Amino acid sequence: MAHGFDAWILTLTTFTPIVGLALVLLIPKVEEELIKLVTLLTTLVTLGFSLYVLKNFDFDHTAKLQFEVKKTWIEVINSNYHIGVDGISLPMLVLSAFITVLCVIYSWNHFPEPHNVKAFLALILLLEVGMNGTFIAQDLILFFIFFEIVLLPMYFMIGVWGGPNREYASIKFFLFTLFGSALMLLSFLAIFFKVKNGQGLHTFDIPELIAAGKGGITHGVQLIIFGGMFIGFAIKVPMFPFHTWLPDAHTEAPTVGSVLLAAILLKLGTYGFIRIALPILPEAAKSWAPWIGLLAVIGIIYGALGCLAQTDMKRLIAFSSVSHMGYVMLGIASLTSFGINAAVFGMVAHGLITGMLFFIAGSVQHTFHTREMSRLGGLLTQAPKMGWILGFCAMASLGLPGLAGFWGEFPAILSVFKPADGLSLPVFRTYMVIAAIGTVLAAGYLLWMLQKVAFGTPKDEWKDTHVHDVGPQEWMAWLPLLLLIVVLGVVPGLMFKTTDGAVKQMVDKAFPTKVEKGVAEKQPEAKSPAIYVKHLGR
Amino acid sequence: MIAALANPHVDFLALSPEIALTATIVLVLVADLILPERSTWQTSRIASLGTLVSLAFVAVLENHSAIHGLFGGAYAVDRYALALKGFFLVATYVTILISVDYIGEGDYYEGEFYFLLLCSVLGMTVMASARDLISLFVALETISIPTYVLAGFRKHDRRSNEAAIKYYLIGAISSAVMLYGMSMIFGLTGETKLSAIALKVSALPDSKVLAVAIFLSLLGFAFKVSAVPFHWWAPDTYEGAPTPVTAFLSVASKAGGFVAMLNIIFFGFGGKAGMWWLVIWVLAGLSMTLGNLTALKQTNIVRMLAYSSVAQGGFMLVPFAAYGIAQSHHQTDVARSAFQSVIVYLLVYGAMNLGAFACIIAVARRTKSGEITSFSGLFQHSPVITVLMSIFLASLAGIPPFAGWFAKFTMFRAAINAGGWAGVTIAIVAGVNSVIAAFYYLNVVRNMWFRPAADDAQPVQIPGALRAALVVCTGLVVAVGVYPSIFGDIADVATKTFG
């Protein structure tokens, strides 16, 4: 347990936005500049707290929960306010605090109709509470609460500030997620009643549940419980065939909403798999893994084909999310520390890259009032900076080595070459081949989009329009993202070093194998492609 | 025996909340008589003060002693009874707050309104303590009869008359059916006290007569709590009655029915759970599903909330079914979680539903309409009431961090704890239903936030009393949602009751 200021730091990181929210609500609606300033300061302070966590995190013991606090919360059901971060949650927490700041900066003078700065920023702050909280929760009920808190703000964000079809998109998003979380909650309750902790009590405590093992749950019941959680998390990811809410939500959401959705909200699902479903029910995970893998590769191909059929730039990026999250899920389905490390990396990389792509789509829309690719073209001549950034992000997204996208995608594909013991090799190797084909398709649709939007000459209707290129506000919001994409691409060890210890411990406990350990020991040095190739050869 | 009946020992302190209420009822009636016409609004003050005094006595008793059994155990003043009395009185206080302006501004008899309201509340406080078929029945009738009149309080409105007559006829029939069932129970066991019935019933062999007796008693309650298929009176009555009365009916009076059920099932029929759990299980499933599906199609907000309250009633029946399932397998630890769940659900449901009605009354004062479309664009000119209404609706839908999630959670918990195919199935049905419910609750939210306002729309003004009611309800909904341990006491109550 943490002491002194360290015991408060995670609580501060999560709940500072609530303080900002209260302040924003007290300021009269007309004082827009003041509201923006208060929001920005709040998110900056929150980011500062998260950076304090990053700085004081003990990177030699990433598997250990740090800054841990455990206080009684709901005694009746033995649920506690148990929070802490390890190597898996730390990058997500920092990412969440970081992206929120950029979103506030970008919003500064990009408020979508019907404007209402106060309500918009208040919702972003509320959203941040839910996002940060989910990544620090170490209790199933606490996790559930934070997981649900993000629902309403995003619903309003899409519904009030969204595009023409916003009413449909917002309710679809809401109901899909709510359905999943209802089943998820039932699964949590089933685990609660089936498993006892060290003191012989029923518990919702995640580390205690992991330590207790599967208890006396029969395999059949485990499969069902895992199924409930699977649906809850898979809808959020979203995996095929639960993905249909995503293109609608993304297309209709305001730019900042899309960015937050892609960068953080989708990760709540994959994070749930890694933090909860896999370690608590490892046997069921093993039985489910081939099916998860199957849905993941279907998602990869389906998402890619979906992209090729789009005419709307933003919708294309949305479908590319389905495809990319497929790689993340494929890495998770391998049930190896190799694959799960890649998955966490993929989560962060996708957050940065796709977040960035949505920012650009937003600016294109802002400038041309359309996202129809057939009407766009010649961005490189009219707004060269934005055009180059788009090209850069497309490269990152298709997994060009040296940029962040590569380290999520490539190892995830490799990991299924040798999945955890007991999983069928032929099946997973087939998945590997299919996933590899997906990368070709990814290159196809991304370059196609780039060609449509950025290359060529401007269409007649825009010929005489003065196009506003990337301005200071955009640079401030985008530059940090672009830099991180490069940095993580060149020095992926920064991330792998953080996640590996925690991932390895989880996998060793849940899916112990001799071979696996051998690979795992060499993991920390996994920084260059050469290492991966070496592993492949084993 | 006769001497004891003629001159029983009465613990007046234990009865103090009821005595305070009775005194207030008399005061209201007298005040209405002597006050000049233009000052009859003063009766609302007397009524609310009396409610608070009664509440204070409940608080005193709470700290005073553990368990009083009065009248040979037919009337219990234990922690459980006190908790419910407290709930009923707070709900009444809020109802009075939301009624003041509505009744004052309309063409109503004010003194009579509060008189009838308090009479019904007296029945509720007695119900919380009733541990005997007779006191149970008397309490139930005391709750119901004044509400028949209240439902018809808009005398010159045909809908209100329809509401009253429907409600009255259904009430009378259900009482008759229930009484018939109870008489058979008495015939089989020779007892009216629930604890004695519990012992005798367990010893009886399963017989058709017993099955009919239990079935008929439960049927009566099914009418009272408007469980599908005995719910069809509710929407008409709710729509026709004055809105504050609807709020009262859907919360306090429904809770009265549930408490009666709680008493008779947990203290009387537990031993024969195998004979009745399936009935409740089916009622719960039907109420949730049909209530929600019908609510989807409503365009009038009060009708929508009427069907929603049918569905919420279904959710509240789930723990009863869970208790029955567990009892029939001799799995005793579920009793506690099921009991707790019903109480928690009642309290939370009361706070959020009253809050929603308070918002509706506030908005309808300006729009003079009950259509859901009349909420369009509310956010643009009255953001505060919009946010509050959204909170209550989100809570009704069970979305954290508002209290509704904890109520639903305890309900799921009881069902999963009971286990077996029956427990898991009803839990899944409830889960799917909470998604359906979210759709129509959010439909109102959508109108308020996403739709444009009418051009001539004016901001909604909230009078002081309504404002106070909203503060109480919002406070409860948020506080319980974020820190449910406020209900720690309730868990304690359940533990004390079931060891």
Side-chain angles (χ1 to χ4, degrees):
Chain A
M1 296 295 144
H3 297 286
F5 183 66
D6 282 1
W8 284 95
I9 187 68
L10 286 181
T11 304
L12 286 172
T13 316
T14 306
F15 291 104
T16 303
I18 283 277
V19 179
L21 174 66
L23 289 175
V24 165
L25 290 182
L26 289 175
I27 303 172
K29 200 174 162 183
V30 285
E31 304 273 350
E32 292 189 355
E33 292 305 313
L34 185 60
I35 292 175
K36 288 182 200 168
L37 202 64
V38 169
T39 313
L40 181 64
L41 283 179
T42 310
T43 51
L44 279 175
V45 170
T46 311
L47 177 65
F49 285 139
S50 78
L51 291 178
Y52 176 90
V53 175
L54 185 69
K55 181 174 168 290
N56 292 302
F57 189 81
D58 178 0
F59 283 93
D60 296 330
H61 301 95
T62 57
K64 190 173 156 289
L65 273 185
Q66 305 187 21
F67 306 98
E68 194 183 5
V69 174
K70 192 173 181 179
K71 294 260 182 269
T72 309
W73 179 41
I74 315 179
E75 221 175 340
V76 197
I77 54 174
N78 194 17
S79 171
N80 297 301
Y81 179 70
H82 187 186
I83 52 172
V85 285
D86 65 2
I88 301 173
S89 37
L90 181 69
M92 302 314 299
L93 179 67
V94 177
L95 180 72
S96 164
F98 176 67
I99 296 276
T100 315
V101 175
L102 301 186
C103 283
V104 174
I105 295 176
Y106 180 83
S107 296
W108 211 262
N109 40 21
H110 281 104
F111 279 96
E113 285 304 310
H115 209 62
N116 201 338
V117 173
K118 182 173 170 177
F120 192 81
L121 293 177
L123 287 174
I124 289 191
L125 288 174
L126 188 57
L127 202 57
E128 190 178 11
V129 176
M131 299 187 306
N132 291 358
T134 312
F135 294 126
I136 62 163
Q138 299 296 336
D139 179 281
L140 291 179
I141 297 303
L142 196 62
F143 177 89
F144 170 77
I145 298 290
F146 284 124
F147 193 81
E148 295 284 275
I149 285 181
V150 300
L151 271 186
L152 274 179
M154 188 46 81
Y155 169 74
F156 285 124
M157 209 174 262
I158 300 173
V160 177
W161 290 271
N165 205 11
R166 61 209 159 97
E167 291 197 1
Y168 171 76
S170 57
I171 192 74
K172 192 170 177 182
F173 158 75
F174 196 95
L175 292 184
F176 264 71
T177 321
L178 194 66
F179 176 75
S181 42
L183 291 182
M184 185 177 89
L185 184 62
L186 290 182
S187 292
F188 288 175
L189 276 165
I191 292 180
F192 174 78
F193 284 117
K194 297 279 181 194
V195 182
K196 287 188 174 165
N197 68 4
Q199 290 95 48
L201 290 169
H202 292 304
T203 180
F204 283 112
D205 196 273
I206 296 173
E208 280 180 19
L209 285 171
I210 294 172
K214 63 198 183 299
I217 319 179
T218 59
H219 193 66
V221 175
Q222 273 199 52
L223 287 182
I224 297 171
I225 298 178
F226 192 94
M229 285 197 226
F230 170 78
I231 294 180
F233 294 138
I235 287 178
K236 200 87 178 181
V237 172
M239 293 186 78
F240 179 91
F242 308 110
H243 67 281
T244 63
W245 62 268
L246 182 97
D248 290 318
H250 263 316
T251 313
E252 300 305 325
T255 304
V256 170
S258 288
V259 172
L260 287 172
L261 198 57
I264 314 292
L265 261 58
L266 305 189
K267 276 66 187 183
L268 300 184
T270 40
Y271 178 77
F273 274 109
I274 299 174
R275 168 71 56 205
I276 295 171
L278 261 49
I280 294 183
L281 291 172
E283 283 183 17
K286 224 166 209 177
S287 304
W288 270 83
W291 303 103
I292 298 178
L294 177 67
L295 292 179
V297 290
I298 294 180
I300 291 173
I301 299 299
Y302 182 90
L305 293 178
C307 283
L308 288 170
Q310 301 310 314
T311 56
D312 180 322
M313 181 180 171
K314 205 172 171 190
R315 217 175 156 81
L316 187 149
I317 302 169
F319 268 101
S320 83
S321 275
V322 176
S323 184
H324 280 111
M325 292 309 277
Y327 290 107
V328 173
M329 285 313 298
L330 190 65
I332 292 176
S334 78
L335 302 183
T336 58
S337 62
F338 192 68
I340 294 173
N341 268 322
V344 180
F345 200 105
M347 281 152 71
V348 173
H350 175 259
L352 299 172
I353 298 167
T354 310
M356 197 52 233
L357 281 170
F358 276 119
F359 269 137
I360 300 170
S363 281
V364 166
Q365 150 106 8
H366 193 77
T367 314
F368 297 102
H369 304 286
T370 181
R371 297 179 310 240
E372 279 301 313
M373 286 183 292
S374 54
R375 288 175 62 194
L376 297 170
L379 195 64
L380 272 172
T381 58
Q382 278 191 310
K385 291 178 205 150
M386 205 191 293
W388 279 112
I389 295 176
L390 178 65
F392 174 82
C393 293
M395 294 306 157
S397 185
L398 64 80
L400 195 73
L403 297 177
F406 174 77
W407 297 105
E409 211 170 281
F410 184 58
I413 299 173
L414 285 195
S415 71
V416 285
F417 180 77
K418 190 150 186 51
D421 269 11
L423 297 177
S424 154
L425 272 184
V427 169
F428 275 85
R429 288 198 180 156
T430 316
Y431 293 165
M432 178 177 143
V433 174
I434 301 172
I437 296 171
T439 61
V440 181
L441 290 173
Y445 64 75
L446 283 161
L447 294 176
W448 178 62
M449 175 189 77
L450 188 63
Q451 179 196 345
K452 285 277 215 182
V453 176
F455 295 171
T457 50
K459 294 279 181 322
D460 290 344
E461 56 178 320
W462 313 117
K463 230 169 203 155
D464 307 318
T465 332
H466 170 70
V467 174
H468 170 79
D469 205 346
V470 183
Q473 232 100 56
E474 278 115 345
W475 276 124
M476 273 201 279
W478 296 356
L479 206 56
L481 282 176
L482 299 174
L483 283 177
L484 264 181
I485 293 173
V486 176
V487 169
L488 285 182
V490 179
V491 205
L494 283 180
M495 266 286 295
F496 283 130
K497 193 180 72 181
T498 316
T499 59
D500 187 59
V503 170
K504 205 164 46 168
Q505 181 186 309
M506 188 275 271
V507 172
D508 284 351
K509 167 96 175 61
F511 315 104
T513 59
K514 276 181 199 156
V515 183
E516 179 51 37
K517 266 189 183 137
V519 176
E521 268 154 26
K522 285 180 187 166
Q523 282 278 301
E525 27 174 309
K527 281 175 194 163
S528 69
I531 302 280
Y532 287 106
V533 176
K534 206 169 83 192
H535 284 163
L536 186 63
R538 289 167 61 96
Chain B
M1 174 76 189
I2 297 295
L5 269 184
N7 194 8
H9 168 71
V10 179
D11 181 347
F12 284 102
L13 181 63
L15 291 177
S16 55
E18 285 78 11
I19 295 173
L21 267 183
T22 315
T24 315
I25 291 171
V26 175
L27 258 178
V28 167
L29 209 54
V30 173
D32 187 46
L33 204 63
I34 57 174
L35 283 174
E37 181 88 12
R38 61 190 152 71
S39 320
T40 44
W41 62 270
Q42 297 276 13
T43 49
S44 68
R45 270 197 183 168
I46 301 174
S48 53
L49 273 179
T51 313
L52 290 181
V53 170
S54 181
L55 195 60
F57 278 116
V58 171
V60 169
L61 282 172
E62 181 86 41
N63 294 320
H64 190 263
S65 55
I67 291 180
H68 298 275
L70 276 75
F71 310 114
Y75 193 92
V77 186
D78 48 17
R79 300 283 308 274
Y80 155 67
L82 288 172
L84 284 172
K85 280 179 213 236
F87 162 65
F88 286 134
L89 290 168
V90 172
T92 308
Y93 183 67
V94 174
T95 310
I96 294 175
L97 286 179
I98 65 178
S99 305
V100 175
D101 292 281
Y102 187 96
I103 299 294
E105 286 163 9
D107 182 19
Y108 299 107
Y109 297 113
E110 291 185 58
E112 285 83 344
F113 179 84
Y114 298 107
F115 164 72
L116 290 167
L117 192 73
L118 289 181
C119 283
S120 183
V121 176
L122 180 62
M124 291 173 192
T125 54
V126 173
M127 175 63 82
S129 291
R131 300 287 183 279
D132 172 285
L133 288 183
I134 296 175
S135 50
L136 203 98
F137 183 73
V138 170
L140 203 57
E141 290 302 283
T142 317
I143 295 175
S144 305
I145 293 173
T147 53
Y148 303 148
V149 187
L150 283 174
F153 223 64
R154 289 201 323 224
K155 272 204 302 196
H156 305 294
D157 184 336
R158 286 174 61 186
R159 278 172 185 270
S160 189
N161 289 324
E162 182 192 345
I165 200 82
K166 266 195 182 156
Y167 188 33
Y168 166 66
L169 288 176
I170 285 304
I173 292 170
S174 63
S175 293
V177 170
M178 189 180 358
L179 205 55
Y180 189 48
M182 286 180 178
S183 73
M184 290 167 83
I185 301 271
F186 179 69
L188 285 166
T189 60
E191 298 283 354
T192 58
K193 226 190 305 173
L194 291 174
S195 54
I197 290 175
L199 290 175
K200 293 242 172 128
V201 157
S202 312
L204 283 176
D206 290 6
S207 64
K208 280 182 187 147
V209 188
L210 185 60
V212 171
I214 292 178
F215 185 68
L216 288 181
S217 329
L218 291 182
L219 214 62
F221 291 122
F223 271 110
K224 294 280 181 204
V225 302
S226 59
V228 173
F230 312 107
H231 68 290
W232 40 269
W233 59 273
D236 292 339
T237 301
Y238 283 14
E239 193 189 355
T243 320
V245 175
T246 307
F248 183 70
L249 285 180
S250 71
V251 172
S253 152
K254 196 182 186 100
F258 269 109
V259 172
M261 246 175 120
L262 212 51
N263 290 347
I264 203 165
I265 285 189
F266 281 78
F267 300 130
F269 294 163
K272 281 286 174 222
M275 295 179 79
W276 54 260
W277 72 260
L278 193 61
V279 178
I280 306 257
W281 189 84
V282 170
L283 284 180
L286 282 179
S287 300
M288 288 189 281
T289 313
L290 288 178
N292 275 330
L293 290 178
T294 325
L296 284 177
K297 288 186 290 193
Q298 302 307 317
T299 55
N300 180 300
I301 189 144
V302 177
R303 277 189 91 82
M304 186 203 92
L305 280 182
Y307 282 107
S308 118
S309 94
V310 170
Q312 300 274 0
F315 286 125
M316 274 182 256
L317 284 172
V318 170
F320 286 99
Y323 172 64
I325 294 165
Q327 283 285 315
S328 65
H329 295 118
H330 307 290
Q331 178 193 348
T332 46
D333 61 320
V334 182
R336 216 173 100 188
S337 67
F339 192 78
Q340 204 174 301
S341 163
V342 178
I343 299 175
V344 167
Y345 210 116
L346 277 177
L347 304 194
V348 168
Y349 169 72
M352 58 199 186
N353 218 35
L354 280 176
F357 271 106
C359 292
I360 292 173
I361 290 171
V363 173
R365 282 180 80 239
R366 179 177 64 72
T367 59
K368 310 278 175 238
S369 162
E371 292 303 302
I372 292 174
T373 47
S374 73
F375 283 79
S376 289
L378 200 64
F379 178 61
Q380 284 146 40
H381 50 77
S382 316
V384 175
I385 193 96
T386 307
V387 170
L388 292 183
M389 183 71 173
S390 307
I391 288 179
F392 295 126
L393 290 167
S395 182
L396 281 165
I399 297 157
F402 307 116
W405 83 265
F406 189 63
K408 286 237 164 68
F409 175 81
T410 56
M411 180 266 296
F412 282 133
R413 176 163 168 259
I416 295 284
N417 196 3
W421 67 267
V424 173
T425 315
I426 200 77
I428 291 175
V429 171
V432 172
N433 265 294
S434 21
V435 180
I436 303 176
F439 183 79
Y440 61 79
Y441 291 129
L442 285 181
N443 182 31
V444 181
V445 174
R446 185 176 63 147
N447 269 289
M448 293 191 297
W449 289 75
F450 304 172
R451 297 274 166 89
D455 295 336
D456 56 345
Q458 296 293 317
V460 172
Q461 305 289 338
I462 315 172
L466 264 178
R467 207 172 284 183
L470 285 171
V471 168
V472 173
C473 294
T474 317
L476 279 173
V477 165
V478 173
V480 173
V482 174
Y483 191 66
S485 284
I486 294 176
F487 274 161
D489 235 28
I490 304 294
D492 202 34
V493 168
T495 318
K496 286 238 164 59
T497 316
F498 290 99

